[in-house]
Amino acid sequence: MLTSINALGRMGIHYVRQFGRAGMLLSQAIFYPPNIRKGFPLLMQQLYSEGVLSLLIIIVSSLFIGMVVALQGYHTLVKFGAAQQLGPLVALSVTRELGPVVAALLFAGRAGSAVTAEIGLMKATEQLSSMEMMAVDPIRRVISPRFWGGIISLPLLTLIFNATAIYGAYLVGVKWLGLETGVFWSNMQAAVDFRLDIFNGLMKSVVFGGVIAWIAVYQGYYAQPTSAGIATATTRAVVYSSLAVLGLDFVLTAMMIGGW
Amino acid sequence: MNNLVEIKQLVFQHDNGRTLFKSIDITIPRGKVTAIMGPSGTGKTTLLRLIGGQLLPSQGQILVDGQSVPDLSRDELYQLRMRMGMLFQNSGLFTHLNVFDNVAFPLREHTPLSAAMIHSLVLMKLEMVGLRGAGQLMPSALSGGMARRVALARAIALDPELIMYDEPFTGQDPISLGVLTKLVRTLNDALGLTSVIVSHDVQETLAIADYVYIIAGGEVLAHGTPDDIKDNQSSNLQQFIKGLPDGPVPFHYAAIPLAEDLLRATPC
């Protein structure tokens, strides 16, 4: 009995300590942003590796997701004689939920895991330690650009996701199933509100980008410097990020709809 | 002040509760090559990290040029580190940069020098370690010995006062070993550095060190010139220096008698 209580207490202390370290790392990443002269090229490099290199998976996935939503939506709506509402259905689903959430999940798998593995390997091969001993702060040089790169990249990727998914829906709805082009676009335009739908979706992706980047850099920076440790950290980064995105999505949606 | 580094009554305990140093006193004189030796796992690398401020001691003082390292602010610590160089066991080269850019890294970070000046300085540092022709190679294309030499060139890029070597000779072939041993001594004397070598390679280290500390079991076992150490008749020391498989440090890890262990063994 006492042993179990001991183990529980130890686990509690362990998790509180981890949260404390993660909080410290987040505050350092926020308050030691990359400076203009040396940091800007590093930030651009991260926008490329986290953002541009994620484009392929984002574009291909969003195109198919848009096409599938349109196909499913059309066959349901047509039963009620409401096939002309396909545009609003796809646009609202994508801008409010599918865009921010699916883009975030793909981003966590593609860019978050890469960031964790890269930082973990830098730690295991003493690159971070040698940087510290050269009086170069790894938080400013390595962590902060990757953190800000995540926050900036994901909203941009989400915009691209939204646009491509809607284009996919247009291909299926208009080009394949024969809906009127004008009806498709004008109903969509009438139903979608910029602030409530598009802007709120982008706000979600800013939060998701920050959380994914935070989890990724934390897991990499505090990874055990062994091959098994880096593998575990990379897996954790993807799993924790995905769970955080799905959980936060509910909280943010409730706040935005006005439930809270 | 003749001593660049002074360690007084240092106690260090890991987060897991294991005490690595019980009470250690070490002084590193300026301009000399001081070796810190001891069996694996005695905390030699930890000692270098404590000197560099990457770890904080549980008790005791660590003074570098009169400044108490654990009490320094973040900015003061980074200022002090600009006067130190460290050669890591794994070299710690940045894998995304070539040899030239690795050596140029601290110069670009800390000096306002022009690209032409940095180019000249990097070539000079690479020439010192004999790798001027390898500037465009990536770290993955280097042998272990070459990687250490590049890391050495990078460690001396800012002309530090103190340079710390973490196991510089481990895993080197005889040629690389000879080159590195000569480099450590030559650079120390030519550049007026103060060198600290942490190693368990007895012959190589004793050949170039001016003063030696042997640590084991969390304490300083012996210290003196290399000749003093060789002449010391302590059985602990003789086992370490001569590499005897059994002695005060037993060959067998502590365990119950073999017969008893076999009899109570259960199939896995």
Side-chain angles (χ1 to χ4, degrees):
Chain A
M1 179 68 180
L2 271 177
T3 319
S4 308
I5 294 171
N6 257 343
L8 193 69
R10 205 175 302 124
M11 199 168 70
I13 291 169
H14 172 71
Y15 280 115
V16 169
R17 191 174 286 165
Q18 274 197 329
F19 271 114
R21 284 196 309 195
M24 295 282 285
L25 189 71
L26 177 66
S27 71
Q28 287 174 324
I30 291 172
F31 295 117
Y32 296 120
N35 62 33
I36 299 294
R37 191 173 69 86
K38 288 177 187 159
F40 188 70
L42 295 173
L43 184 61
M44 292 305 286
Q45 209 174 354
Q46 287 313 309
L47 288 178
Y48 174 77
S49 59
E50 291 178 41
V52 176
L53 294 183
S54 302
L55 268 177
L56 182 68
I57 190 170
I58 291 286
I59 289 173
V60 173
S61 309
S62 57
L63 189 70
F64 283 113
I65 285 171
M67 289 162 73
V68 166
V69 171
L71 199 55
Q72 291 278 13
Y74 179 83
H75 286 289
T76 308
L77 289 171
V78 83
K79 290 178 189 164
F80 304 101
Q84 69 274 19
Q85 291 302 317
L86 184 66
L89 171 80
V90 172
L92 292 176
S93 313
V94 167
T95 54
R96 285 181 182 181
E97 288 301 330
L98 286 174
V101 173
V102 177
L105 294 176
L106 293 171
F107 184 75
R110 162 64 188 77
S113 59
V115 164
T116 303
E118 188 189 14
I119 297 174
L121 265 174
M122 287 182 83
K123 185 181 181 186
T125 52
E126 295 184 321
Q127 293 180 51
L128 295 182
S129 287
S130 64
M131 207 176 266
E132 273 185 357
M133 285 308 296
M134 280 186 278
V136 175
D137 187 359
I139 302 288
R140 201 178 276 251
R141 192 75 173 55
V142 176
I143 302 297
S144 199
R146 282 160 180 76
F147 175 74
W148 287 103
I151 290 185
I152 297 169
S153 296
L154 187 54
L156 298 175
L157 290 171
T158 303
L159 278 178
I160 293 168
F161 185 106
N162 291 350
T164 318
I166 289 170
Y167 182 69
Y170 166 80
L171 288 179
V172 169
V174 177
K175 295 290 180 188
W176 182 23
L177 300 171
L179 277 179
E180 192 64 41
T181 311
V183 171
F184 181 84
W185 291 118
S186 61
N187 280 347
M188 186 187 295
Q189 195 180 357
V192 175
D193 182 86
F194 180 78
R195 198 190 70 79
L196 289 178
D197 302 319
I198 298 172
F199 183 74
N200 277 353
L202 281 180
M203 281 298 100
K204 280 184 182 179
S205 66
V206 171
V207 175
F208 295 160
V211 169
I212 292 168
W214 178 28
I215 291 172
V217 295
Y218 171 76
Q219 290 295 337
Y221 197 64
Y222 288 105
Q224 288 290 324
T226 60
S227 46
I230 294 166
T232 308
T234 309
T235 309
R236 276 188 191 152
V238 177
V239 173
Y240 292 172
S241 299
S242 306
L243 293 176
V245 164
L246 295 170
L248 274 173
D249 182 47
F250 173 73
V251 175
L252 290 172
T253 305
M255 288 169 75
M256 286 167 180
I257 283 178
W260 284 1
Chain B
M1 195 185 292
N2 282 332
N3 295 325
L4 185 59
V5 180
E6 293 182 6
I7 296 170
K8 296 174 184 169
Q9 296 174 335
L10 172 71
V11 178
F12 181 75
Q13 195 174 35
H14 275 301
D15 286 343
N16 60 15
R18 184 183 160 221
T19 302
L20 207 53
F21 301 130
K22 290 172 190 164
S23 179
I24 277 188
D25 293 278
I26 289 175
T27 51
I28 313 283
R30 280 179 199 275
K32 304 286 184 191
V33 176
T34 305
I36 297 168
M37 305 177 73
S40 299
T42 47
K44 302 186 295 297
T45 302
T46 304
L47 192 61
L48 293 188
R49 289 185 186 274
L50 284 160
I51 296 172
Q54 289 186 304
L55 294 172
L56 293 175
S58 308
Q59 282 175 46
Q61 274 191 312
I62 300 169
L63 302 173
V64 176
D65 201 19
Q67 300 181 73
S68 173
V69 176
D71 300 325
L72 294 177
S73 68
R74 188 175 163 282
D75 288 344
E76 288 169 336
L77 182 62
Y78 274 74
Q79 284 297 319
L80 183 66
R81 282 180 183 162
M82 286 171 67
R83 295 160 55 198
M84 296 178 179
M86 185 157 168
L87 183 72
F88 284 86
Q89 201 169 350
N90 293 330
S91 302
L93 294 177
F94 302 127
T95 46
H96 62 290
L97 300 178
N98 66 19
V99 165
F100 183 93
D101 289 331
N102 260 289
V103 180
F105 181 83
L107 293 166
R108 287 179 180 145
E109 284 292 323
H110 295 304
T111 67
L113 297 173
S114 65
M117 184 67 86
I118 287 176
H119 183 261
S120 305
L121 280 171
V122 171
L123 289 187
M124 284 160 65
K125 301 296 177 190
L126 285 173
E127 177 72 12
M128 281 183 191
V129 297
L131 290 174
R132 187 166 45 82
Q136 297 311 310
L137 295 181
M138 293 304 284
S140 56
L142 302 175
S143 68
M146 286 168 81
R148 296 260 166 102
R149 283 152 67 188
V150 174
L152 184 53
R154 188 177 68 176
I156 58 169
L158 290 172
D159 294 326
E161 291 169 46
L162 170 70
I163 184 156
M164 298 185 278
Y165 300 89
D166 185 8
E167 303 284 6
F169 310 123
T170 305
Q172 300 298 311
D173 64 61
I175 299 171
S176 299
L177 200 61
V179 170
L180 278 168
T181 315
K182 187 168 175 286
L183 267 175
V184 171
R185 186 74 242 185
T186 311
L187 287 175
N188 187 81
D189 298 342
L191 302 177
L193 302 171
T194 300
S195 306
V196 183
I197 304 176
V198 148
S199 178
H200 50 220
D201 293 292
V202 178
Q203 301 312 324
E204 292 76 17
T205 310
L206 289 184
I208 55 167
D210 294 312
Y211 204 80
V212 181
Y213 284 87
I214 309 278
I215 54 173
E219 293 168 337
V220 174
L221 204 62
H223 60 98
T225 62
D227 288 336
D228 293 340
I229 297 295
K230 283 177 197 165
D231 295 341
N232 193 315
Q233 291 309 309
S234 151
S235 51
N236 276 316
L237 214 53
Q238 286 303 315
Q239 187 192 3
F240 178 69
I241 292 169
K242 292 178 180 167
L244 303 174
D246 213 350
V249 178
F251 170 71
H252 288 288
Y253 193 78
I256 58 172
L258 176 64
E260 198 180 318
D261 214 358
L262 288 172
L263 284 172
R264 73 172 199 176
T266 51
C268 295

